[in-house]
C-alpha cells in the first residue's frame, strides 16, 4: 500500500472516529484533540500497519491507547496523596532494619546464591530483564519467542521467591 492510498483510507475512516472519541472523552474539544492525535500517530506509524488487516480497528486501537495514556497522565498529575501516615510506618518492620553491615551481606549473598542455583535457561533472561533489557530485546538477543522469555522470567521469579521466602515479612 502506498503512502497516498494509506492517507486516503485513513481520511475516509477519520469521520467515524469522532463519535468514538466523543464517547471516550465526553467533551467536544477533547474529542477533536483525541482524533487529531490519533490521526497524527497513525500517519507517523504507517509503516507499522500491515496491509490487508483492518485499518479501522487499528485506528480505534491507537485512539483507545492514546486516550488511556492521556487519562493516566492527567490522573497521576492531579493526584494528591497524603503520605504523612505512610511515612510514619516507612521501614519500621524489623525485617527491613539492618543494624550492621554483616546482615545485609548475608542477604546479598543469599540472593546471589539463589540466582546462581537457577538454570541458565531461566537465569539469563531474568538477569537481562533485571539490568534493563525489554522483553523484545531479550527475545531477539537469545533468539527465542517473546512468550518464552516472559515465561522464563516468571518461573525465575517464582523460584527465587521460594528460595528467599525466609526474608518475606509475615509469612
Amino acid at each position: 500500500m502506498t503512502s497516498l492510498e494509506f492517507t486516503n483510507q485513513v481520511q475516509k475512516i477519520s469521520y467515524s472516529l469522532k463519535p468514538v472519541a466523543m464517547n471516550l472523552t465526553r467533551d467536544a474539544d477533547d474529542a477533536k484533540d483525541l482524533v487529531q492525535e490519533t490521526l497524527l500517530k497513525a500517519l507517523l506509524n504507517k509503516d507499522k500497519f500491515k496491509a490487508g488487516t483492518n485499518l479501522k480497528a487499528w485506528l480505534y486501537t491507537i485512539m483507545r491507547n492514546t486516550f488511556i495514556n492521556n487519562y493516566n497522565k492527567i490522573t497521576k498529575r492531579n493526584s494528591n496523596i497524603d503520605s504523612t501516615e505512610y511515612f510514619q510506618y516507612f521501614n519500621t518492620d524489623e525485617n527491613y532494619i539492618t543494624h550492621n553491615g554483616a546482615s545485609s551481606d548475608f542477604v546479598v549473598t543469599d540472593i546471589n546464591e539463589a540466582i546462581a542455583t537457577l538454570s541458565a535457561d531461566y537465569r539469563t533472561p531474568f538477569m537481562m530483564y533485571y539490568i534493563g533489557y525489554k522483553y523484545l530485546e531479550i527475545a531477539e538477543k537469545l533468539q527465542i519467542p517473546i512468550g518464552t522469555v516472559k515465561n522464563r522470567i516468571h518461573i525465575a521469579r517464582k523460584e527465587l521467591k521460594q528460595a528467599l521466602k525466609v526474608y518475606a515479612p509475615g509469612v
Side-chain angles (χ1 to χ4, degrees):
M1 175 183 301
T2 66
S3 292
L4 185 60
E5 290 172 339
F6 179 81
T7 305
N8 286 336
Q9 286 186 359
V10 168
Q11 187 176 10
K12 287 177 189 173
I13 296 172
S14 67
Y15 298 108
S16 67
L17 295 176
K18 185 155 186 198
V20 176
M22 194 63 188
N23 191 22
L24 289 170
T25 62
R26 310 250 191 260
D27 181 70
D29 291 333
D30 289 342
K32 287 179 187 175
D33 291 343
L34 182 58
V35 169
Q36 192 172 25
E37 195 171 347
T38 300
L39 295 175
L40 177 64
K41 286 182 179 181
L43 293 174
L44 290 174
N45 294 298
K46 66 182 169 229
D47 56 314
K48 295 179 182 173
F49 176 72
K50 294 184 179 106
T53 59
N54 189 342
L55 179 62
K56 194 173 192 178
W58 188 67
L59 290 171
Y60 284 155
T61 302
I62 292 172
M63 180 183 290
R64 187 196 65 218
N65 291 342
T66 302
F67 173 76
I68 291 169
N69 290 341
N70 289 342
Y71 179 81
N72 287 338
K73 284 179 192 173
I74 290 168
T75 55
K76 284 181 184 174
R77 195 178 316 138
N78 293 335
S79 64
N80 295 324
I81 300 172
D82 182 19
S83 58
T84 53
E85 185 176 321
Y86 173 74
F87 286 123
Q88 286 177 337
Y89 303 107
F90 187 67
N91 278 346
T92 58
D93 189 337
E94 287 298 316
N95 292 327
Y96 295 115
I97 296 175
T98 303
H99 299 287
N100 61 36
S103 62
S104 65
D105 289 343
F106 285 126
V107 173
V108 171
T109 302
D110 287 349
I111 291 171
N112 288 332
E113 286 175 3
I115 291 172
T117 63
L118 291 173
S119 160
D121 287 342
Y122 299 121
R123 183 177 51 246
T124 303
F126 175 80
M127 292 306 297
M128 288 176 76
Y129 183 77
Y130 175 75
I131 62 174
Y133 284 92
K134 304 279 187 247
Y135 289 129
L136 188 59
E137 295 171 329
I138 297 169
E140 289 172 355
K141 282 215 184 263
L142 299 179
Q143 297 178 341
I144 56 177
I146 194 166
T148 304
V149 169
K150 290 179 180 180
N151 186 42
R152 288 181 181 177
I153 292 171
H154 172 74
I155 291 171
R157 285 179 177 158
K158 209 168 154 183
E159 288 182 15
L160 289 173
K161 187 176 179 181
Q162 181 64 30
L164 300 168
K165 68 182 176 185
V166 293
Y167 297 107
V171 176

PDB file of all heavy atoms in Angstrom, residues 73-98:
ATOM      1  N   LYS A  73      -1.871  10.089  32.526  1.00  0.00           N
ATOM      2  CA  LYS A  73      -1.023  11.249  32.790  1.00  0.00           C
ATOM      3  C   LYS A  73      -1.767  12.272  33.633  1.00  0.00           C
ATOM      4  O   LYS A  73      -1.216  12.830  34.583  1.00  0.00           O
ATOM      5  CB  LYS A  73      -0.581  11.902  31.482  1.00  0.00           C
ATOM      6  CG  LYS A  73       0.492  11.172  30.746  1.00  0.00           C
ATOM      7  CD  LYS A  73       0.831  11.896  29.461  1.00  0.00           C
ATOM      8  CE  LYS A  73       1.687  11.051  28.556  1.00  0.00           C
ATOM      9  NZ  LYS A  73       1.871  11.681  27.245  1.00  0.00           N
ATOM     10  N   ILE A  74      -3.017  12.514  33.280  1.00  0.00           N
ATOM     11  CA  ILE A  74      -3.810  13.516  33.995  1.00  0.00           C
ATOM     12  C   ILE A  74      -4.063  13.083  35.428  1.00  0.00           C
ATOM     13  O   ILE A  74      -3.921  13.875  36.355  1.00  0.00           O
ATOM     14  CB  ILE A  74      -5.138  13.782  33.251  1.00  0.00           C
ATOM     15  CG1 ILE A  74      -4.851  14.522  31.951  1.00  0.00           C
ATOM     16  CG2 ILE A  74      -6.101  14.585  34.118  1.00  0.00           C
ATOM     17  CD1 ILE A  74      -6.038  14.591  31.006  1.00  0.00           C
ATOM     18  N   THR A  75      -4.433  11.826  35.635  1.00  0.00           N
ATOM     19  CA  THR A  75      -4.734  11.375  36.992  1.00  0.00           C
ATOM     20  C   THR A  75      -3.481  11.333  37.860  1.00  0.00           C
ATOM     21  O   THR A  75      -3.555  11.627  39.044  1.00  0.00           O
ATOM     22  CB  THR A  75      -5.415   9.994  37.007  1.00  0.00           C
ATOM     23  OG1 THR A  75      -4.601   9.067  36.304  1.00  0.00           O
ATOM     24  CG2 THR A  75      -6.787  10.059  36.390  1.00  0.00           C
ATOM     25  N   LYS A  76      -2.333  10.996  37.288  1.00  0.00           N
ATOM     26  CA  LYS A  76      -1.100  11.000  38.068  1.00  0.00           C
ATOM     27  C   LYS A  76      -0.697  12.424  38.446  1.00  0.00           C
ATOM     28  O   LYS A  76      -0.207  12.674  39.531  1.00  0.00           O
ATOM     29  CB  LYS A  76       0.033  10.328  37.295  1.00  0.00           C
ATOM     30  CG  LYS A  76      -0.063   8.830  37.276  1.00  0.00           C
ATOM     31  CD  LYS A  76       1.079   8.222  36.520  1.00  0.00           C
ATOM     32  CE  LYS A  76       0.899   6.711  36.438  1.00  0.00           C
ATOM     33  NZ  LYS A  76       1.908   6.086  35.605  1.00  0.00           N
ATOM     34  N   ARG A  77      -0.893  13.347  37.520  1.00  0.00           N
ATOM     35  CA  ARG A  77      -0.534  14.732  37.754  1.00  0.00           C
ATOM     36  C   ARG A  77      -1.438  15.365  38.811  1.00  0.00           C
ATOM     37  O   ARG A  77      -1.000  16.177  39.605  1.00  0.00           O
ATOM     38  CB  ARG A  77      -0.659  15.519  36.442  1.00  0.00           C
ATOM     39  CG  ARG A  77       0.019  16.852  36.478  1.00  0.00           C
ATOM     40  CD  ARG A  77      -0.077  17.600  35.162  1.00  0.00           C
ATOM     41  NE  ARG A  77       0.177  16.771  34.010  1.00  0.00           N
ATOM     42  CZ  ARG A  77      -0.532  16.834  32.874  1.00  0.00           C
ATOM     43  NH1 ARG A  77      -1.519  17.667  32.751  1.00  0.00           N
ATOM     44  NH2 ARG A  77      -0.238  16.050  31.866  1.00  0.00           N
ATOM     45  N   ASN A  78      -2.710  14.971  38.827  1.00  0.00           N
ATOM     46  CA  ASN A  78      -3.676  15.600  39.713  1.00  0.00           C
ATOM     47  C   ASN A  78      -3.891  14.850  41.016  1.00  0.00           C
ATOM     48  O   ASN A  78      -4.721  15.250  41.818  1.00  0.00           O
ATOM     49  CB  ASN A  78      -5.028  15.751  39.002  1.00  0.00           C
ATOM     50  CG  ASN A  78      -4.949  16.743  37.868  1.00  0.00           C
ATOM     51  OD1 ASN A  78      -4.108  17.626  37.872  1.00  0.00           O
ATOM     52  ND2 ASN A  78      -5.834  16.604  36.897  1.00  0.00           N
ATOM     53  N   SER A  79      -3.182  13.766  41.229  1.00  0.00           N
ATOM     54  CA  SER A  79      -3.415  13.000  42.457  1.00  0.00           C
ATOM     55  C   SER A  79      -2.648  13.631  43.615  1.00  0.00           C
ATOM     56  O   SER A  79      -1.459  13.869  43.542  1.00  0.00           O
ATOM     57  CB  SER A  79      -3.008  11.540  42.274  1.00  0.00           C
ATOM     58  OG  SER A  79      -1.637  11.461  42.054  1.00  0.00           O
ATOM     59  N   ASN A  80      -3.377  13.914  44.666  1.00  0.00           N
ATOM     60  CA  ASN A  80      -2.784  14.461  45.878  1.00  0.00           C
ATOM     61  C   ASN A  80      -2.928  13.420  46.970  1.00  0.00           C
ATOM     62  O   ASN A  80      -4.005  13.213  47.503  1.00  0.00           O
ATOM     63  CB  ASN A  80      -3.491  15.757  46.288  1.00  0.00           C
ATOM     64  CG  ASN A  80      -3.301  16.849  45.261  1.00  0.00           C
ATOM     65  OD1 ASN A  80      -2.249  16.942  44.659  1.00  0.00           O
ATOM     66  ND2 ASN A  80      -4.318  17.666  45.052  1.00  0.00           N
ATOM     67  N   ILE A  81      -1.833  12.782  47.295  1.00  0.00           N
ATOM     68  CA  ILE A  81      -1.863  11.717  48.282  1.00  0.00           C
ATOM     69  C   ILE A  81      -1.257  12.251  49.574  1.00  0.00           C
ATOM     70  O   ILE A  81      -0.158  12.813  49.576  1.00  0.00           O
ATOM     71  CB  ILE A  81      -1.070  10.489  47.798  1.00  0.00           C
ATOM     72  CG1 ILE A  81      -1.676   9.968  46.505  1.00  0.00           C
ATOM     73  CG2 ILE A  81      -1.017   9.422  48.864  1.00  0.00           C
ATOM     74  CD1 ILE A  81      -0.859   8.893  45.835  1.00  0.00           C
ATOM     75  N   ASP A  82      -1.976  12.063  50.650  1.00  0.00           N
ATOM     76  CA  ASP A  82      -1.458  12.442  51.950  1.00  0.00           C
ATOM     77  C   ASP A  82      -0.544  11.322  52.424  1.00  0.00           C
ATOM     78  O   ASP A  82      -1.005  10.263  52.836  1.00  0.00           O
ATOM     79  CB  ASP A  82      -2.597  12.672  52.938  1.00  0.00           C
ATOM     80  CG  ASP A  82      -2.085  13.116  54.300  1.00  0.00           C
ATOM     81  OD1 ASP A  82      -0.928  13.578  54.361  1.00  0.00           O
ATOM     82  OD2 ASP A  82      -2.839  12.990  55.277  1.00  0.00           O
ATOM     83  N   SER A  83       0.741  11.557  52.355  1.00  0.00           N
ATOM     84  CA  SER A  83       1.700  10.491  52.650  1.00  0.00           C
ATOM     85  C   SER A  83       2.244  10.565  54.070  1.00  0.00           C
ATOM     86  O   SER A  83       3.108   9.786  54.428  1.00  0.00           O
ATOM     87  CB  SER A  83       2.855  10.554  51.655  1.00  0.00           C
ATOM     88  OG  SER A  83       3.475  11.821  51.727  1.00  0.00           O
ATOM     89  N   THR A  84       1.746  11.465  54.886  1.00  0.00           N
ATOM     90  CA  THR A  84       2.299  11.596  56.234  1.00  0.00           C
ATOM     91  C   THR A  84       2.108  10.317  57.035  1.00  0.00           C
ATOM     92  O   THR A  84       3.011   9.886  57.741  1.00  0.00           O
ATOM     93  CB  THR A  84       1.652  12.783  56.980  1.00  0.00           C
ATOM     94  OG1 THR A  84       0.236  12.633  56.938  1.00  0.00           O
ATOM     95  CG2 THR A  84       2.067  14.098  56.370  1.00  0.00           C
ATOM     96  N   GLU A  85       0.940   9.699  56.915  1.00  0.00           N
ATOM     97  CA  GLU A  85       0.702   8.463  57.655  1.00  0.00           C
ATOM     98  C   GLU A  85       1.595   7.343  57.129  1.00  0.00           C
ATOM     99  O   GLU A  85       2.104   6.529  57.876  1.00  0.00           O
ATOM    100  CB  GLU A  85      -0.769   8.055  57.544  1.00  0.00           C
ATOM    101  CG  GLU A  85      -1.105   6.854  58.397  1.00  0.00           C
ATOM    102  CD  GLU A  85      -2.587   6.525  58.345  1.00  0.00           C
ATOM    103  OE1 GLU A  85      -3.402   7.451  58.341  1.00  0.00           O
ATOM    104  OE2 GLU A  85      -2.901   5.329  58.283  1.00  0.00           O
ATOM    105  N   TYR A  86       1.819   7.327  55.818  1.00  0.00           N
ATOM    106  CA  TYR A  86       2.662   6.307  55.208  1.00  0.00           C
ATOM    107  C   TYR A  86       4.088   6.409  55.739  1.00  0.00           C
ATOM    108  O   TYR A  86       4.715   5.418  56.074  1.00  0.00           O
ATOM    109  CB  TYR A  86       2.643   6.455  53.691  1.00  0.00           C
ATOM    110  CG  TYR A  86       3.608   5.562  52.968  1.00  0.00           C
ATOM    111  CD1 TYR A  86       3.363   4.199  52.847  1.00  0.00           C
ATOM    112  CD2 TYR A  86       4.784   6.064  52.425  1.00  0.00           C
ATOM    113  CE1 TYR A  86       4.247   3.373  52.196  1.00  0.00           C
ATOM    114  CE2 TYR A  86       5.667   5.248  51.775  1.00  0.00           C
ATOM    115  CZ  TYR A  86       5.399   3.901  51.657  1.00  0.00           C
ATOM    116  OH  TYR A  86       6.286   3.086  51.017  1.00  0.00           O
ATOM    117  N   PHE A  87       4.614   7.610  55.836  1.00  0.00           N
ATOM    118  CA  PHE A  87       5.995   7.780  56.266  1.00  0.00           C
ATOM    119  C   PHE A  87       6.197   7.436  57.744  1.00  0.00           C
ATOM    120  O   PHE A  87       7.308   7.153  58.155  1.00  0.00           O
ATOM    121  CB  PHE A  87       6.489   9.197  55.982  1.00  0.00           C
ATOM    122  CG  PHE A  87       6.754   9.438  54.527  1.00  0.00           C
ATOM    123  CD1 PHE A  87       6.122  10.462  53.846  1.00  0.00           C
ATOM    124  CD2 PHE A  87       7.629   8.628  53.830  1.00  0.00           C
ATOM    125  CE1 PHE A  87       6.355  10.661  52.507  1.00  0.00           C
ATOM    126  CE2 PHE A  87       7.869   8.822  52.485  1.00  0.00           C
ATOM    127  CZ  PHE A  87       7.238   9.846  51.822  1.00  0.00           C
ATOM    128  N   GLN A  88       5.136   7.432  58.531  1.00  0.00           N
ATOM    129  CA  GLN A  88       5.268   7.026  59.918  1.00  0.00           C
ATOM    130  C   GLN A  88       5.686   5.560  60.008  1.00  0.00           C
ATOM    131  O   GLN A  88       6.405   5.170  60.925  1.00  0.00           O
ATOM    132  CB  GLN A  88       3.941   7.191  60.667  1.00  0.00           C
ATOM    133  CG  GLN A  88       3.599   8.619  60.971  1.00  0.00           C
ATOM    134  CD  GLN A  88       2.246   8.714  61.649  1.00  0.00           C
ATOM    135  OE1 GLN A  88       1.411   7.827  61.512  1.00  0.00           O
ATOM    136  NE2 GLN A  88       2.034   9.790  62.379  1.00  0.00           N
ATOM    137  N   TYR A  89       5.220   4.754  59.075  1.00  0.00           N
ATOM    138  CA  TYR A  89       5.482   3.318  59.112  1.00  0.00           C
ATOM    139  C   TYR A  89       6.555   2.889  58.133  1.00  0.00           C
ATOM    140  O   TYR A  89       6.849   1.726  58.010  1.00  0.00           O
ATOM    141  CB  TYR A  89       4.184   2.545  58.813  1.00  0.00           C
ATOM    142  CG  TYR A  89       3.089   2.899  59.775  1.00  0.00           C
ATOM    143  CD1 TYR A  89       2.030   3.685  59.378  1.00  0.00           C
ATOM    144  CD2 TYR A  89       3.132   2.452  61.088  1.00  0.00           C
ATOM    145  CE1 TYR A  89       1.022   4.029  60.259  1.00  0.00           C
ATOM    146  CE2 TYR A  89       2.135   2.796  61.982  1.00  0.00           C
ATOM    147  CZ  TYR A  89       1.091   3.581  61.562  1.00  0.00           C
ATOM    148  OH  TYR A  89       0.112   3.912  62.436  1.00  0.00           O
ATOM    149  N   PHE A  90       7.136   3.812  57.431  1.00  0.00           N
ATOM    150  CA  PHE A  90       8.124   3.504  56.409  1.00  0.00           C
ATOM    151  C   PHE A  90       9.355   2.860  57.048  1.00  0.00           C
ATOM    152  O   PHE A  90       9.984   3.421  57.928  1.00  0.00           O
ATOM    153  CB  PHE A  90       8.504   4.795  55.676  1.00  0.00           C
ATOM    154  CG  PHE A  90       9.379   4.577  54.492  1.00  0.00           C
ATOM    155  CD1 PHE A  90       8.904   3.919  53.375  1.00  0.00           C
ATOM    156  CD2 PHE A  90      10.686   5.033  54.483  1.00  0.00           C
ATOM    157  CE1 PHE A  90       9.696   3.720  52.277  1.00  0.00           C
ATOM    158  CE2 PHE A  90      11.484   4.835  53.386  1.00  0.00           C
ATOM    159  CZ  PHE A  90      10.990   4.180  52.281  1.00  0.00           C
ATOM    160  N   ASN A  91       9.672   1.666  56.607  1.00  0.00           N
ATOM    161  CA  ASN A  91      10.852   0.916  57.058  1.00  0.00           C
ATOM    162  C   ASN A  91      10.905   0.704  58.572  1.00  0.00           C
ATOM    163  O   ASN A  91      11.963   0.726  59.166  1.00  0.00           O
ATOM    164  CB  ASN A  91      12.142   1.614  56.606  1.00  0.00           C
ATOM    165  CG  ASN A  91      12.492   1.266  55.188  1.00  0.00           C
ATOM    166  OD1 ASN A  91      11.953   0.330  54.615  1.00  0.00           O
ATOM    167  ND2 ASN A  91      13.385   2.040  54.605  1.00  0.00           N
ATOM    168  N   THR A  92       9.760   0.503  59.194  1.00  0.00           N
ATOM    169  CA  THR A  92       9.784   0.226  60.626  1.00  0.00           C
ATOM    170  C   THR A  92       9.700  -1.261  60.911  1.00  0.00           C
ATOM    171  O   THR A  92       9.847  -1.674  62.045  1.00  0.00           O
ATOM    172  CB  THR A  92       8.623   0.930  61.352  1.00  0.00           C
ATOM    173  OG1 THR A  92       7.390   0.489  60.784  1.00  0.00           O
ATOM    174  CG2 THR A  92       8.750   2.429  61.246  1.00  0.00           C
ATOM    175  N   ASP A  93       9.454  -2.064  59.908  1.00  0.00           N
ATOM    176  CA  ASP A  93       9.382  -3.509  60.088  1.00  0.00           C
ATOM    177  C   ASP A  93      10.783  -4.026  60.422  1.00  0.00           C
ATOM    178  O   ASP A  93      11.764  -3.713  59.758  1.00  0.00           O
ATOM    179  CB  ASP A  93       8.863  -4.160  58.804  1.00  0.00           C
ATOM    180  CG  ASP A  93       8.564  -5.632  58.974  1.00  0.00           C
ATOM    181  OD1 ASP A  93       9.129  -6.272  59.878  1.00  0.00           O
ATOM    182  OD2 ASP A  93       7.755  -6.158  58.188  1.00  0.00           O
ATOM    183  N   GLU A  94      10.876  -4.823  61.453  1.00  0.00           N
ATOM    184  CA  GLU A  94      12.161  -5.345  61.913  1.00  0.00           C
ATOM    185  C   GLU A  94      12.893  -6.125  60.824  1.00  0.00           C
ATOM    186  O   GLU A  94      14.122  -6.194  60.819  1.00  0.00           O
ATOM    187  CB  GLU A  94      11.970  -6.240  63.141  1.00  0.00           C
ATOM    188  CG  GLU A  94      11.638  -5.475  64.400  1.00  0.00           C
ATOM    189  CD  GLU A  94      12.738  -4.508  64.821  1.00  0.00           C
ATOM    190  OE1 GLU A  94      13.924  -4.889  64.786  1.00  0.00           O
ATOM    191  OE2 GLU A  94      12.412  -3.365  65.170  1.00  0.00           O
ATOM    192  N   ASN A  95      12.140  -6.717  59.877  1.00  0.00           N
ATOM    193  CA  ASN A  95      12.782  -7.494  58.819  1.00  0.00           C
ATOM    194  C   ASN A  95      13.601  -6.609  57.880  1.00  0.00           C
ATOM    195  O   ASN A  95      14.465  -7.090  57.172  1.00  0.00           O
ATOM    196  CB  ASN A  95      11.739  -8.255  58.001  1.00  0.00           C
ATOM    197  CG  ASN A  95      11.091  -9.343  58.808  1.00  0.00           C
ATOM    198  OD1 ASN A  95      11.709  -9.945  59.662  1.00  0.00           O
ATOM    199  ND2 ASN A  95       9.816  -9.587  58.544  1.00  0.00           N
ATOM    200  N   TYR A  96      13.304  -5.312  57.855  1.00  0.00           N
ATOM    201  CA  TYR A  96      13.977  -4.427  56.913  1.00  0.00           C
ATOM    202  C   TYR A  96      15.065  -3.576  57.575  1.00  0.00           C
ATOM    203  O   TYR A  96      15.754  -2.847  56.908  1.00  0.00           O
ATOM    204  CB  TYR A  96      12.961  -3.508  56.231  1.00  0.00           C
ATOM    205  CG  TYR A  96      11.997  -4.250  55.364  1.00  0.00           C
ATOM    206  CD1 TYR A  96      10.650  -4.292  55.672  1.00  0.00           C
ATOM    207  CD2 TYR A  96      12.432  -4.939  54.239  1.00  0.00           C
ATOM    208  CE1 TYR A  96       9.761  -4.989  54.882  1.00  0.00           C
ATOM    209  CE2 TYR A  96      11.562  -5.637  53.455  1.00  0.00           C
ATOM    210  CZ  TYR A  96      10.219  -5.659  53.769  1.00  0.00           C
ATOM    211  OH  TYR A  96       9.354  -6.345  52.988  1.00  0.00           O
ATOM    212  N   ILE A  97      15.189  -3.641  58.864  1.00  0.00           N
ATOM    213  CA  ILE A  97      16.167  -2.818  59.556  1.00  0.00           C
ATOM    214  C   ILE A  97      17.489  -3.573  59.634  1.00  0.00           C
ATOM    215  O   ILE A  97      17.555  -4.711  60.083  1.00  0.00           O
ATOM    216  CB  ILE A  97      15.685  -2.441  60.972  1.00  0.00           C
ATOM    217  CG1 ILE A  97      14.446  -1.575  60.863  1.00  0.00           C
ATOM    218  CG2 ILE A  97      16.785  -1.717  61.733  1.00  0.00           C
ATOM    219  CD1 ILE A  97      13.813  -1.238  62.187  1.00  0.00           C
ATOM    220  N   THR A  98      18.543  -2.941  59.186  1.00  0.00           N
ATOM    221  CA  THR A  98      19.864  -3.527  59.251  1.00  0.00           C
ATOM    222  C   THR A  98      20.631  -2.811  60.342  1.00  0.00           C
ATOM    223  O   THR A  98      20.823  -1.602  60.283  1.00  0.00           O
ATOM    224  CB  THR A  98      20.594  -3.370  57.906  1.00  0.00           C
ATOM    225  OG1 THR A  98      19.808  -3.975  56.900  1.00  0.00           O
ATOM    226  CG2 THR A  98      21.955  -4.001  57.945  1.00  0.00           C
TER     227      THR A  98
END
